[in-house]
């Protein structure tokens, strides 16, 4: 099995090379998949092959002499596990060195990699948070961290340590765990969604500390429901990673773009080999100076997918680098994906789900329940568009981040993705019956129903309330969020137009 060189180098634990009284040691971590090492072919440092009989491999409680490793005496090397390599009798000078390792394995066959690593003059001495390599989520280590925080910060903790679930369930979601942040959750709805994936009425969990937020969304939901509900459509679905390749000239960068176009099939194969879910949709390419910026666009299923596409893009680029000899530098992310950043490219090209919520709000419903006429709300909308234009904003939504953030926290989404997901393009028009058509386009809604924080107990319950747990439900969740966001736009717009905005906050939102 051919593994690109950049991927293979990830087996080496950077920062692990050091001199010890027994010799030089360095660490390995399996970042590929479960494997069995059946022969050590070579260990060398700075081009000098080391005697196999002087090299030891240690995993957990077991130590293997390199010379004894064979198909009959293999080293099991599961995914995610670490291994220490000791070269006895060797001492290295302070500074950079080249380390090479070759071995035979199942199922990968013969593999070899070379990395550059440095030995530091002395290890850093600094105050660190207590950590347990074997079990960092046990009650004992959590207690030590709490005591460390008490002594260091001078604060006694009463509420932070209170947790209704096993801390071990947070593994993969947080490090140095000490407790939980308890954020109030309120219910809005039910909201009637006429979607392709979400059909029916859904209770909506909103986690927030902002007074009037739940009440405001409930107002908007009532208006939508009385008008027949909200129609939601997911029109695009893609997640990006954007590497950059550096060449000696603009001409070489241009030729590289053409080379990529000719090898899209092989690039996709290398990328998709890292995941059973990720599918490469296409690659956008942008040239500037002698730089070639590539924006890989992937389908990621029910996961938000940033880590998935990072791994897939890294594998694809590693394959590309193995085929080329004129790339002067390469970086996996060039900032063109604008991860965790608001950007015009994501409004135009989509990042996550592009979802549109539409409703025809009845005239009598607006007048009776919001004390505002459709003509007034439409006129106010036009004035607000001018204000958005003057401010330099690239979207004209009123406050979609409010509902989106509250739903993100409740359902275990990566809250920092609100930076991209917050953009809302609001449009309205009066129809021939005097009712108000409204739509909200969210061009970069990054959500998941599988992976990340969605499996945590509280968040899973909130997803379950909407029938959005697990695989096959992410577009359903996207439609519900878009419908709720439109409800918020109607509610806030009406409150401002009818001059109820400040009085409502004074009545319901004061906690001082």
């Amino acid at each position: 099995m051919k593994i690109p060189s950049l991927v293979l180098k990830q087996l080496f634990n950077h920062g692990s090379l050091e001199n010890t009284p027994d010799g030089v040691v360095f660490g390995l971590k399996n970042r590929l998949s479960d494997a069995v090492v059946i022969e050590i072919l070579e260990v060398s440092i700075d081009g000098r092959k080391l005697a196999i009989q002087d090299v030891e491999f240690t995993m957990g409680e077991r130590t293997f002499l390199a010379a004894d490793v064979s198909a009959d005496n293999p080293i099991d090397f599961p995914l995610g596990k670490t291994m220490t390599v000791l070269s006895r009798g060797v001492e290295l000078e302070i500074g950079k060195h080249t380390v090479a390792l070759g071995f035979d394995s199942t199922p990968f066959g013969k593999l070899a990699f070379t990395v550059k690593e440095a030995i530091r003059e002395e290890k850093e001495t600094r105050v660190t948070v207590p950590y347990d390599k074997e079990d960092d989520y046990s009650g004992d280590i959590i207690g030590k961290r709490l005591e460390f925080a008490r002594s260091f910060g001078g604060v006694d903790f009463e509420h932070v340590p209170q947790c209704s679930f096993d801390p071990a369930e947070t593994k993969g979601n947080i490090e140095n765990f000490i407790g939980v942040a308890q954020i109030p959750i309120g219910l809005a709805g039910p909201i009637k969604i006429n979607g392709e994936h979400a059909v029916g009425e859904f209770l909506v969990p909103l986690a927030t500390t902002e007074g009037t937020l739940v009440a405001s969304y409930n107002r908007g939901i009532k208006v939508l429901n009385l008008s027949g509900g909200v129609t939601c459509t997911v029109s695009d679905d893609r997640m990006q990673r954007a590497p950059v390749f550096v060449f000696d000239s603009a001409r070489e960068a241009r030729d590289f773009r053409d080379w990529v176009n000719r090898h899209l099939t092989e690039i996709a194969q290398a990328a998709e080999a890292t995941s059973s879910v990720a599918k490469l949709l296409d690659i956008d390419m942008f040239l500037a100076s002698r730089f070639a910026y590539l924006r890989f666009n992937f389908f990621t299923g029910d996961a938000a997918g940033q880590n998935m596409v990072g791994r897939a893009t890294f594998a694809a680029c590693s394959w590309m680098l193995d085929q080329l000899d004129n790339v002067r530098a390469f970086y996996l992310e060039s900032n063109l994906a604008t991860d965790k950043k608001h950007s015009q490219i994501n409004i135009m090209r989509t990042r996550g789900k592009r979802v549109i919520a539409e409703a025809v709000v009845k005239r009598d419903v607006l007048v009776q329940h919001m004390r505002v006429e459709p003509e007034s709300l439409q006129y106010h909308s036009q004035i607000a568009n001018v204000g958005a234009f003057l401010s330099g904003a690239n979207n004209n939504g009123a406050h979609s981040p409010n509902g989106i953030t509250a739903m993100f926290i409740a359902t275990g989404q990566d809250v920092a993705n609100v930076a991209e997901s917050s953009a809302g393009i609001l449009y309205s028009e009066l129809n021939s019956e005097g009712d108000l058509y409204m739509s909200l386009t969210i061009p970069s809604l990054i959500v998941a129903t599988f992976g990340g924080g969605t499996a945590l107990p509280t968040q899973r319950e909130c997803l379950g309330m909407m029938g959005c747990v697990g695989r096959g439900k992410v577009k359903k969740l996207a439609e519900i969020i878009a419908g709720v966001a439109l409800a918020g736009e109607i509610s806030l717009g009406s409150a401002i137009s009818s001059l109820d905005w400040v009085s409502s906050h004074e009545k319901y939102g004061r906690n001082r």
Side-chain angles (χ1 to χ4, degrees):
M1 182 183 295
K2 173 66 174 176
I3 299 177
S5 58
L6 279 182
V7 175
L8 194 53
K9 288 179 181 180
Q10 298 301 301
L11 290 172
F12 188 88
N13 259 351
H14 288 284
S16 64
L17 185 67
E18 63 176 322
N19 289 315
T20 72
D22 294 323
V24 169
V25 299
F26 59 86
L28 305 173
K29 183 173 182 178
N30 187 349
R31 296 178 172 90
L32 301 174
S33 66
D34 291 345
V36 177
V37 179
I38 57 176
E39 184 181 4
I40 306 302
L41 303 173
E42 176 187 348
V43 180
S44 66
I45 297 179
D46 297 330
R48 179 169 63 91
K49 286 188 178 181
L50 305 181
I52 292 296
Q53 60 268 24
D54 295 330
V55 177
E56 296 178 359
F57 288 76
T58 299
M59 174 178 286
E61 301 294 323
R62 299 187 65 189
T63 296
F64 300 79
L65 294 176
D68 293 339
V69 176
S70 66
D72 295 327
N73 186 36
I75 304 176
D76 288 328
F77 199 9
L79 177 66
K81 293 297 184 179
T82 58
M83 186 186 303
T84 300
V85 183
L86 167 64
S87 299
R88 290 189 175 277
V90 177
E91 183 176 354
L92 299 178
E93 296 180 353
I94 302 301
K96 289 186 177 180
H97 298 276
T98 301
V99 179
L101 176 66
F103 58 94
D104 196 359
S105 68
T106 303
F108 300 112
K110 294 181 179 180
L111 301 175
F113 65 84
T114 301
V115 296
K116 293 185 181 297
E117 186 60 286
I119 288 186
R120 291 172 292 184
E121 191 164 353
E122 59 181 24
K123 284 189 173 290
E124 296 179 7
T125 56
R126 60 188 179 93
V127 177
T128 60
V129 176
Y131 176 78
D132 187 332
K133 289 184 177 180
E134 297 301 320
D135 184 3
D136 200 45
Y137 298 86
S138 69
D140 181 58
I141 190 62
I142 292 171
K144 289 178 180 178
R145 278 196 288 268
L146 285 166
E147 183 55 39
F148 171 80
R150 288 189 188 98
S151 61
F152 192 87
V155 177
D156 287 326
F157 297 100
E158 178 183 357
H159 299 288
V160 169
Q162 302 302 318
C163 182
S164 63
F165 53 83
D166 185 350
E169 294 191 56
T170 68
K171 187 176 182 180
N173 294 110
I174 195 165
E175 301 76 41
N176 295 342
F177 178 92
I178 62 167
V180 294
Q182 299 180 71
I183 300 172
I185 298 176
L187 284 179
I191 183 173
K192 184 178 181 181
I193 304 290
N194 307 314
E196 294 176 302
H197 307 275
V199 180
E201 296 189 342
F202 301 91
L203 273 177
V204 179
L206 298 169
T208 183
T209 58
E210 181 183 347
T212 75
L213 187 144
V214 175
S216 177
Y217 278 87
N218 254 331
R219 262 190 6 140
I221 288 171
K222 177 176 68 173
V223 167
L224 288 176
N225 288 349
L226 290 172
S227 299
V230 53
T231 299
C232 299
T233 304
V234 177
S235 61
D236 205 357
D237 183 0
R238 53 185 55 218
M239 179 52 64
Q240 294 77 27
R241 186 59 61 205
V244 59
F245 292 76
V246 180
F247 297 89
D248 285 338
S249 68
R251 194 166 298 170
E252 288 188 33
R254 181 200 62 191
D255 293 344
F256 170 72
R257 178 189 61 188
D258 298 337
W259 181 89
V260 170
N261 282 328
R262 292 196 303 271
H263 292 84
L264 285 175
T265 300
E266 297 95 323
I267 292 170
Q269 288 173 347
E272 294 170 7
T274 65
S275 170
S276 61
V277 176
K279 300 297 178 187
L280 181 62
L281 302 173
D282 49 56
I283 302 174
D284 298 321
M285 287 182 274
F286 305 88
L287 303 182
S289 184
R290 53 200 179 103
F291 312 132
Y293 295 86
L294 275 58
R295 200 166 189 261
F296 283 67
N297 297 289
F298 288 90
F299 170 76
T300 59
D302 293 282
Q306 290 100 319
N307 293 334
M308 184 191 302
V309 303
R311 183 169 59 251
T313 304
F314 185 79
C317 292
S318 183
W319 179 86
M320 294 159 70
L321 290 167
D322 283 347
Q323 316 305 312
L324 301 165
D325 59 6
N326 62 338
V327 178
R328 295 295 164 255
F330 157 78
Y331 303 97
L332 182 60
E333 181 52 64
S334 64
N335 237 356
L336 189 63
T338 65
D339 197 358
K340 308 295 197 296
K341 288 177 286 294
H342 181 57
S343 69
Q344 186 65 26
I345 193 170
N346 286 340
I347 283 184
M348 299 296 291
R349 294 285 290 132
T350 301
R351 181 171 168 84
K353 310 293 183 287
R354 193 178 197 91
V355 56
I356 300 108
E358 305 172 280
V360 176
V361 184
K362 301 298 183 181
R363 167 182 287 276
D364 60 342
V365 172
L366 275 176
V367 172
Q368 292 175 24
H369 296 277
M370 295 297 194
R371 295 190 298 280
V372 63
E373 294 182 340
E375 292 84 359
S376 175
L377 202 56
Q378 169 69 359
Y379 181 60
H380 179 197
S381 176
Q382 293 181 46
I383 295 171
N385 282 342
V386 175
F389 174 78
L390 289 173
S391 73
N394 67 351
N395 69 92
N396 64 342
H399 73 141
S400 55
N402 263 333
I404 291 173
T405 302
M407 291 191 73
F408 272 25
I409 295 171
T411 61
Q413 310 301 316
D414 184 341
V415 183
N417 285 330
V418 172
E420 298 123 289
S421 301
S422 65
I425 303 168
L426 189 64
Y427 174 76
S428 64
E429 65 179 46
L430 292 167
N431 67 15
S432 58
E433 285 79 34
D435 300 326
L436 187 66
Y437 167 86
M438 297 186 72
S439 72
L440 181 69
T441 300
I442 305 176
S444 299
L445 183 63
I446 303 172
V447 291
T449 55
F450 183 82
T454 64
L456 291 172
T458 303
Q459 289 73 12
R460 188 178 182 88
E461 288 177 0
C462 288
L463 284 169
M465 188 187 309
M466 297 180 287
C468 291
V469 173
R471 298 186 185 274
K473 302 297 177 62
V474 70
K475 290 184 179 179
K476 180 180 182 180
L477 178 62
E479 290 180 348
I480 295 171
I481 291 175
V484 172
L486 180 61
E489 298 296 295
I490 295 169
S491 180
L492 180 58
S494 298
I496 297 173
S497 293
S498 63
L499 304 181
D500 286 341
W501 187 28
V502 173
S503 61
S504 296
H505 270 272
E506 287 297 305
K507 181 177 181 181
Y508 300 108
R510 292 170 66 92
N511 184 16
R512 58 182 183 269

